[in-house]
Amino acid sequence: LGPTQDDVTALACSKASGSGLDMNIQALASMKSYFKKRGFALTKDNEKQAQLPAASHMIVNHNGTAPGFYMKINKCMFFFMPGVPSEMKLMFEREIKQILTNEYKLNDDILIERLTVFGLAESRVGSLLEGFETKFPRMRLGFRADFPVIEVKIILLDSDKDNQNAKFDMTKAKQWAVSQLENKVVSTQGLSIAQEIGHLLTKEKKTLAVAESCTGGLISNMVTDVAGSSDYFLFSGITYSNDAKMNILNVQQETIIEYGAVHEQTALEMAQGARLKGNADYAISTTGIAGPGGGTREKPVGMVCIGLSGPSISMARTYRFSFGDRLRNKKIFAMMALELLRRHLVSTAETS
């Protein structure tokens, strides 16, 4: 749904239902209120969005201008929402879910647990969890891929969410699933890896700095997407050029000359420099070749060197990925750096 002339959704729906288009007073008032709060004038083009099928019911848009609407045609209910994800998702959660629950008396008594998996393809995750529904017949699995992460949903149907037996069964199922997934579960609470790291750093009262080259700030963005990250995130340096690596992070000129920008020694010195610059407990760094060009036989596209510096660790690792896509490479480089840190934090917490 939107204000432009190519959006004929409401018109098509009015014709399909045999009802005309009317200016919906509630929708118009909602739009006027939205524009007034933001200091904009409501134009005629935008008023078009308040013209809804006469037989429809308006749905409030809490996060944008285009009102949604729903109606029944014969025995089928139709829902129309704006395509902007933030608007659509909020509209569904706040309005449509309740309408559906009331209309169809949906069972909302479902217990769901989520696992966040990194380092396995979706097909491999499915294969490793084969036999789950035989072992746990009251449950089923759901999968969602958001490269490079797989979310596994464990769903227990027809059970009181607060029932202790149901919770016990879910715990057993979750433990079994984690044991099958080859140590690739980064969160047993369905959290992102950045959220998980935030919890670990907060628990241990530790801080973090980041030095990025090939990831261009993506790690820092992921870390600061987590509310409360200011408690532990101290410094970010996007040192793309060799000069920046040397001048800001104190990477030795001899290191760049002898090894080049993409090398474990360079990554290590970047992490050490970021830790010192930010006065942080831990620092991670990335330097690599995201592509699609710039690779060589010795240093191909998809190669990344990741450094990690902390109170009891100073190391760098090289990884090679086969993705030809630049954005995918950047995403997996960033995730791998965070995963290297997460694993160290977990091992440190287990031994302390």
Side-chain angles (χ1 to χ4, degrees):
L1 302 175
T4 55
Q5 295 304 311
D6 63 333
D7 177 21
V8 294
T9 307
L11 178 61
C13 189
S14 71
K15 289 185 175 181
S17 62
S19 63
L21 276 180
D22 286 343
M23 181 63 72
N24 186 293
I25 302 303
Q26 184 187 5
L28 186 61
S30 172
M31 290 175 62
K32 285 181 177 178
S33 173
Y34 181 89
F35 275 86
K36 185 177 180 180
K37 285 179 182 177
R38 285 153 183 80
F40 297 115
L42 180 64
T43 65
K44 289 292 182 183
D45 287 340
N46 277 297
E47 282 187 11
K48 166 187 176 292
Q49 296 174 108
Q51 291 186 330
L52 306 180
S56 70
H57 303 274
M58 176 263 197
I59 307 173
V60 176
N61 185 341
H62 298 276
N63 208 23
T65 60
F69 64 92
Y70 73 99
M71 63 188 303
K72 185 174 282 190
I73 302 177
N74 297 327
K75 294 183 179 181
C76 184
M77 287 190 75
F78 290 84
F79 292 84
F80 300 89
M81 295 175 281
V84 179
S86 60
E87 298 180 29
M88 177 272 292
K89 290 177 181 179
L90 194 61
M91 187 177 288
F92 179 83
E93 288 297 327
R94 288 200 185 179
E95 306 289 340
I96 294 176
K97 185 185 284 188
Q98 190 58 52
I99 295 169
L100 288 169
T101 300
N102 294 341
E103 181 72 19
Y104 295 105
K105 296 180 175 58
L106 298 180
N107 176 19
D108 196 34
D109 215 8
I110 299 174
L111 188 61
I112 300 177
E113 291 282 355
R114 292 173 171 83
L115 305 176
T116 307
V117 181
F118 169 64
L120 295 172
E122 187 176 10
S123 58
R124 179 63 177 162
V125 173
S127 176
L128 290 171
L129 295 180
E130 194 170 340
F132 174 89
E133 292 178 17
T134 301
K135 193 173 184 67
F136 304 98
R138 294 175 57 214
M139 302 186 192
R140 63 183 176 86
L141 292 174
F143 303 91
R144 184 177 71 88
D146 183 13
F147 180 87
V149 169
I150 308 296
E151 180 189 72
V152 178
K153 289 191 291 186
I154 303 174
I155 305 162
L156 175 60
L157 300 168
D158 301 321
S159 178
D160 183 354
K161 291 178 182 178
D162 299 320
N163 183 283
Q164 292 303 312
N165 288 332
K167 291 181 178 180
F168 178 74
D169 291 344
M170 177 61 80
T171 298
K172 287 199 301 182
K174 191 158 74 164
Q175 288 173 342
W176 182 86
V178 170
S179 71
Q180 299 297 109
L181 290 171
E182 299 180 343
N183 198 30
K184 297 297 192 295
V185 176
V186 300
S187 175
T188 57
Q189 307 300 319
L191 302 177
S192 70
I193 193 167
Q195 288 174 313
E196 196 67 37
I197 285 172
H199 283 303
L200 290 166
L201 289 170
T202 301
K203 182 179 178 182
E204 298 299 320
K205 295 183 173 59
K206 301 298 184 183
T207 54
L208 176 65
V210 173
E212 301 186 61
S213 183
C214 55
T215 45
L218 186 55
I219 296 173
S220 305
N221 182 63
M222 292 167 70
V223 171
T224 55
D225 272 347
V226 179
S229 55
S230 58
D231 292 339
Y232 51 82
F233 188 54
L234 302 184
F235 171 82
S236 170
I238 305 173
T239 52
Y240 217 66
S241 70
N242 289 340
D243 283 345
K245 291 177 179 67
M246 292 185 289
N247 296 333
I248 297 173
L249 302 175
N250 293 322
V251 173
Q252 296 300 301
Q253 185 177 23
E254 292 78 10
T255 299
I256 299 293
I257 293 171
E258 184 174 353
Y259 301 112
V262 182
H263 192 275
E264 287 182 5
Q265 183 61 32
T266 306
L268 178 58
E269 291 182 25
M270 288 173 66
Q272 291 170 335
R275 184 184 175 209
L276 186 63
K277 194 81 172 179
N279 193 26
D281 296 300
Y282 288 98
I284 50 176
S285 66
T286 56
T287 178
I289 304 166
T296 64
R297 186 172 182 177
E298 294 76 21
K299 298 179 180 181
V301 170
M303 174 178 165
V304 64
C305 299
I306 297 171
L308 170 60
S309 179
S312 61
I313 190 168
S314 189
M315 61 169 282
R317 293 285 183 270
T318 300
Y319 300 92
R320 289 176 173 84
F321 300 99
S322 58
F323 304 104
D325 179 78
R326 182 177 180 83
L327 183 55
R328 284 191 161 219
N329 279 334
K330 288 176 66 176
K331 282 183 177 180
I332 204 162
F333 293 172
M335 281 290 297
M336 197 67 241
L338 290 171
E339 174 63 355
L340 197 65
L341 173 62
R342 187 196 69 84
R343 290 192 178 194
H344 176 74
L345 291 172
V346 169
S347 66
T348 302
E350 288 174 349
T351 55
S352 62

